[in-house]
Amino acid sequence: MKNTVDSLKEKVILAGCQLQTMEDEHFQYSMEELASLTKTANGEVLIQLTQKRERPHPATYIGKGKVDELLNLVEELSPDIVILNDELSPSQLRNLSEIINVRVIDRTQLILDIFAQRAKSKEGKLQVELAQLQYLLPRLSGQGIALSRQGGGIGTRGPGETQLETDRRHIRNRINEIKQQLSTVVRHRNRYRERRKKNQAFQIALVGYTNAGKSTIFNRLTTAGSFEEDLLFATLDPMTRKVLLPSTYQALITDTVGFIQDLPTTLVAAFRSTLEEVKEADLILHVVDSSNEDYSNHEKTVYKLLDQLEVSDKPILTVYNKKDLTPDSFVPSPSADYVKISAFNEKDLELLLAKVEMVAKNSMKHYSVLVPSNEGRLISQLKTESLIEQIQFIEESEMYEIEGFVLPEHSIHSQLEKYNGEG
C-alpha cells in the first residue's frame, strides 16, 4: 500500500534565490518551509538548488549558470515539477518553463494548491477559487501572445487573441460571481456574529503560524474533532465551539487558518473575511510552536498580519506549545504575556484555561447581589451567562447571594441594579 502512495507523489526539484538582504539562517528556514509545503501538497523533494544574488534575474529568476545546472538536474532526475521559492512574474515562469521543458510553479501557486485541497466549506472553496483566478488573470497574457501568432488572415483577429479575450472575460465574470456569493456568506456570518454578541459570550480566537498546534489545542479544549495533522494549513475553515472555563462559565473559541510568511497578497485579501472572527474576539490566543527553531520569525509574521487586521490592540495571551520538545536555547518574547504548555498534557490545559479565565475576569464587571429564590429565570441566566465566583443560599431570607463577573455590555446589568441594594 505504501509503495502505491509513494508512486502517486509528484517528484519535485526546489529552487530558491537568496538575496543579499536575507540572512543565511532565515533563507535556510524558508527553503525548509518550502519542502514542508511540498510534502503537504503530496510532493516528494528530490533535490534543492539555491543561489545567492543581489536581486532575482528579471527573465529567469535564477541566473543563467543556475538555469543550466537546473536543466542538467531535470534531464538526470526527470522530475514532474520544479517549484521556486518566491512569487514569480508571468514572464519569469514562462521563460523557465520553455527552457527546462517541465512544469514550473512558484511558492504562491503551491500555497494556492494546498488551500484548494484543504478547503471544506462552501466559503473556503469560493475564497480559494477567487485567489486562484486573481493569480491566473495576469498570467494569461503570455499564452495569448503565443497563440495569437498561430494564424488569422487579413481582417481577422488571431484565434489565440480571441481565445485570450474569451478566457479573460470568463475569469472576470467568474471573479464577480464569486465576490457576490462571498458577500452573501459574509452577511450571513455577520448576522450569526450579531446573534452571538446578543448572547453575550466571551469570545476567544486561536491564531498562530501554520502547524503551531492550534487545532490540537482546539480539539483538546472542546472535543470538536477539527482536522489536525502534522501538515501545514491543516485547518482552513474557521470553526467555533463552546469551551468550559474552570468556573463552568461557557466561552466561545474559534480555530482559524494558520499564518505563513510571504503569504500571497491575493490570499490575505481572500481570507480576510475568515479572519474577521479575530476582530470580534475578546481575547486572542497566539499559539507558537516553541520547538521550531524559527519560532521568533513565526511570531513576527503573526503580529504583522494582526496589525493588518487592526486587532493588535486586543488582549493577547501567547501560548508556547510543544514545551516537551522545546530546546534549551528557547527564550520567550520579552513583551509577551505567556503560558508554556504541551497540548497533550491535561494539567497544562487546565493551567491555560485558568489563565484564560483570569483574562476574562479582567475584561468583565464585578457584581455582588442578593436575588430572591423565586427569581429562577434570573438565577439561571446568571449561571449560564456570567462567570460566577460564589453562590450561596441564605435560608432565613430565602435569598441567593451571588458574586461574579459579567461582560460590560451585557443586558443583564439593568436587572442586577434592581437587587444591588437588597439585603
Side-chain angles (χ1 to χ4, degrees), residues 183-199:
S183 67
T184 308
V185 174
V186 169
R187 277 200 304 276
H188 171 74
R189 182 177 293 137
N190 284 341
R191 280 200 301 273
Y192 175 62
R193 262 198 220 115
E194 286 306 313
R195 206 160 62 238
R196 281 212 315 245
K197 254 187 180 166
K198 235 174 235 169
N199 294 343

Side-chain angles (χ1 to χ4, degrees), residues 62-275:
I62 49 176
K64 189 182 179 304
K66 281 290 170 185
V67 172
D68 291 340
E69 199 178 321
L70 181 58
L71 187 56
N72 291 335
L73 284 171
V74 166
E75 285 168 0
E76 182 191 335
L77 301 171
S78 304
D80 302 297
I81 194 164
V82 171
I83 303 175
L84 288 310
N85 193 28
D86 282 289
E87 186 167 326
L88 270 60
S89 70
S91 60
Q92 285 172 328
L93 276 172
R94 188 175 66 251
N95 294 337
L96 267 177
S97 300
E98 284 173 3
I99 295 166
I100 63 176
N101 201 24
V102 89
R103 189 174 164 231
V104 176
I105 68 167
D106 60 16
R107 185 187 176 94
T108 300
Q109 215 172 332
L110 176 62
I111 292 172
L112 286 170
D113 282 353
I114 293 166
F115 271 52
Q117 286 175 28
R118 293 273 173 265
K120 295 285 184 289
S121 71
K122 185 186 176 187
E123 183 187 11
K125 287 173 182 173
L126 284 171
Q127 285 175 324
V128 172
E129 192 184 345
L130 177 63
Q132 284 178 321
L133 292 174
Q134 286 170 334
Y135 172 84
L136 181 64
L137 196 57
R139 286 161 177 79
L140 281 178
S141 54
Q143 288 170 295
I145 292 162
L147 289 167
S148 64
R149 289 180 185 145
Q150 287 174 3
I154 297 167
T156 69
R157 301 195 306 162
E161 192 180 356
T162 309
Q163 184 59 47
L164 175 64
E165 287 309 314
T166 307
D167 289 348
R168 275 188 176 153
R169 191 163 54 250
H170 172 72
I171 286 175
R172 284 199 188 101
N173 289 342
R174 182 65 187 141
I175 284 173
N176 288 333
E177 269 175 43
I178 292 171
K179 281 181 174 173
Q180 282 172 354
Q181 287 182 55
L182 278 173
S183 67
T184 308
V185 174
V186 169
R187 277 200 304 276
H188 171 74
R189 182 177 293 137
N190 284 341
R191 280 200 301 273
Y192 175 62
R193 262 198 220 115
E194 286 306 313
R195 206 160 62 238
R196 281 212 315 245
K197 254 187 180 166
K198 235 174 235 169
N199 294 343
Q200 292 292 327
F202 184 79
Q203 297 183 38
I204 305 156
L206 279 167
V207 303
Y209 206 78
T210 181
N211 207 28
K214 293 185 303 301
S215 296
T216 308
I217 290 170
F218 181 79
N219 287 339
R220 296 293 174 274
L221 295 179
T222 66
T223 61
S226 170
F227 179 72
E228 59 172 85
E229 202 177 329
D230 186 20
L231 291 171
L232 301 186
F233 300 119
T235 301
L236 199 60
D237 301 306
M239 189 185 269
T240 302
R241 291 285 180 273
K242 286 176 181 171
V243 60
L244 219 55
L245 298 185
S247 64
T248 72
Y249 174 70
Q250 281 189 352
L252 291 177
I253 189 165
T254 300
D255 190 13
T256 62
V257 61
F259 297 175
I260 193 165
Q261 52 199 358
D262 309 320
L263 188 68
T265 46
T266 48
L267 272 176
V268 174
F271 282 85
R272 210 173 177 84
S273 63
T274 308
L275 293 167

Side-chain angles (χ1 to χ4, degrees), residues 337-369:
D337 179 16
Y338 69 89
V339 58
K340 288 185 193 175
I341 71 157
S342 164
F344 297 100
N345 184 310
E346 209 60 50
K347 284 207 160 30
D348 285 356
L349 292 177
E350 286 168 15
L351 173 74
L352 172 60
L353 287 174
K355 192 98 173 165
V356 167
E357 183 161 285
M358 211 164 71
V359 177
K361 280 182 192 173
N362 290 339
S363 67
M364 292 175 168
K365 273 178 82 172
H366 178 263
Y367 71 86
S368 179
V369 288

